[in-house]
Amino acid sequence: MPDRDATPRRRGQGELEALVLSALRTAPGPVSAQWVQRACGGDLAYTTVLTILSRLLAKGAVARQREGRAYLWRPTVDVAGLAALRMRRVLDGQADREAVLTSFVSALSPGDERLLRDLLGAEDPAQGPAEDREE
């Protein structure tokens, strides 16, 4: 019987995206996919790194610039920003935004709900105090 603990655990897409994004955030500037592969520990195939970078590009989480025949990559968001982009994409895919947001908020822990209320009540310098804004 094979040893199940010897089999490497398969990482989820979100986990790989966070790993690649974290590696990019430690980079000294725009870097190659090869650099990212090494920074991730070298256990990811080069093609996997390219796939993850392409997915992150489509989500707006990274930017790339042409350097000869290759691209150099840089992050445009942090890991929290990536999670926010995912949440926004899910919300944008739903017809009844109010129902989705209501369900989301009702499922939050009391601490998270309080944090969200505090964030929503905070002043946005671009819009002025919350009580002055029109809904």
Side-chain angles (χ1 to χ4, degrees):
M1 181 171 197
D3 182 9
R4 291 179 191 229
D5 293 336
T7 305
R9 184 181 68 82
R10 183 177 169 95
R11 290 179 277 211
Q13 177 183 330
E15 208 174 333
L16 289 175
E17 289 176 350
L19 177 67
V20 167
L21 191 58
S22 292
L24 281 173
R25 294 196 49 81
T26 67
V31 292
S32 68
Q34 227 171 17
W35 186 96
V36 174
Q37 181 187 26
R38 285 192 304 273
C40 289
D43 64 335
L44 295 178
Y46 180 74
T47 54
T48 300
V49 172
L50 286 176
T51 298
I52 298 302
L53 286 168
S54 296
R55 287 180 180 162
L56 290 170
L57 180 66
K59 294 176 181 179
V62 300
R64 68 181 183 187
Q65 64 191 57
R66 178 75 77 175
E67 179 81 14
R69 292 176 34 199
Y71 287 104
L72 296 182
W73 303 84
R74 65 176 176 79
T76 59
V77 299
D78 58 11
V79 174
L82 178 60
L85 287 171
R86 281 192 208 113
M87 292 166 65
R88 177 65 187 261
R89 198 169 90 204
V90 168
L91 182 60
D92 287 347
Q94 301 301 311
D96 190 349
R97 296 173 75 86
E98 183 177 348
V100 173
L101 287 170
T102 300
S103 181
F104 175 74
V105 170
S106 67
L108 291 174
S109 71
D112 286 343
E113 184 177 348
R114 192 170 29 262
L115 175 60
L116 182 58
R117 288 184 189 284
D118 290 347
L119 290 170
L120 291 172
E123 289 187 19
D124 181 348
Q127 296 184 358
E131 61 272 5
D132 294 345
R133 290 194 299 255
E134 291 184 27
E135 295 300 321

